[in-house]
Amino acid sequence: MQRGALLDAARSLLSEGGTEALTFPALAERTGLARSSVYEYFKSRAAVVEELCEVDFPVWAAEVEAGMARADTPEGKVEAYVREQLALVGDRRHRAVVAISASELDAGAREKIRAAHGGLVAMIVEALERMGHEQPRLAAMLVQGVVDAAVRRIELGAAEEPGVIVDAAVGMVLRGVHG
């Protein structure tokens, strides 16, 4: 139960203040634990981040996958892939993952994040194959690049409304994979 409370506090700290806000004293304060108790659960900030990824990324990926499963066509699946990820931008778990991706992590944690992202990207490879794309894996990586750029735009509080950014990203992706 304490571990869950620490992870929830870490999500809040990351979403509110980025990686700089994720400190053991702040975790202790948020959870009412002694600072030394935090070290009993996690040996480092990187360990907190790794566990957040292990817990939150599969939930996030399942939401994207569920949205794709509701689509009937390969194009619909690609659109759902983009829309579902961008719909999560306001979610605390997503803000934490974005903050995590910008942080200074050890090689093991970075590899786990890369592997999780690879699983997410793999979700649309089949749809791109069914659309007849000649290089579906490359196209999937580029689609994710558009999604990542749209996420950053929304997170920065760009002049455009989030819905405009989402629609532009979907349009770019669908035109691009057909091009």
Side-chain angles (χ1 to χ4, degrees):
M1 201 154 52
Q2 295 290 17
R3 187 177 215 85
L6 286 164
L7 290 175
D8 196 46
R11 281 182 203 96
S12 294
L13 290 166
L14 285 165
S15 68
E16 293 164 11
T19 54
E20 301 80 34
L22 180 60
T23 64
F24 279 28
L27 283 171
E29 184 179 322
R30 288 276 172 114
T31 57
L33 294 173
R35 185 173 165 185
S36 60
S37 296
V38 176
Y39 284 98
E40 291 176 26
Y41 293 95
F42 300 104
K43 61 182 179 186
S44 65
R45 279 179 6 141
V48 176
V49 166
E50 255 185 88
E51 190 155 333
L52 276 175
C53 286
E54 288 174 17
V55 171
D56 290 347
F57 205 90
V59 174
W60 184 27
E63 291 176 26
V64 173
E65 193 169 28
M68 291 176 67
R70 289 189 293 271
D72 296 329
T73 65
E75 290 84 358
K77 290 183 184 308
V78 171
E79 179 174 350
Y81 177 85
V82 174
R83 287 192 185 280
E84 290 294 329
Q85 285 190 69
L86 296 178
L88 293 169
V89 172
D91 185 294
R92 223 166 30 113
R93 289 171 297 145
H94 180 270
R95 284 197 303 264
V97 169
V98 169
I100 286 166
S101 68
S103 69
E104 69 296 334
L105 299 175
D106 61 32
R110 285 199 186 283
E111 187 51 42
K112 284 183 181 180
I113 291 171
R114 267 194 293 278
H117 249 287
L120 192 61
V121 169
M123 289 182 191
I124 62 163
V125 171
E126 182 184 343
L128 292 166
E129 287 171 344
R130 287 182 47 212
M131 290 171 70
H133 203 283
E134 291 179 18
Q135 295 181 302
R137 179 84 181 139
L138 174 59
M141 297 299 286
L142 295 174
V143 166
Q144 187 59 47
V146 170
V147 171
D148 293 344
V151 165
R152 283 190 299 278
R153 189 96 182 132
I154 293 168
E155 288 279 335
L156 289 173
E160 306 88 3
E161 289 294 319
V164 170
I165 297 169
V166 171
D167 290 344
V170 168
M172 285 185 79
V173 165
L174 290 177
R175 283 189 301 278
V177 297
H178 280 295

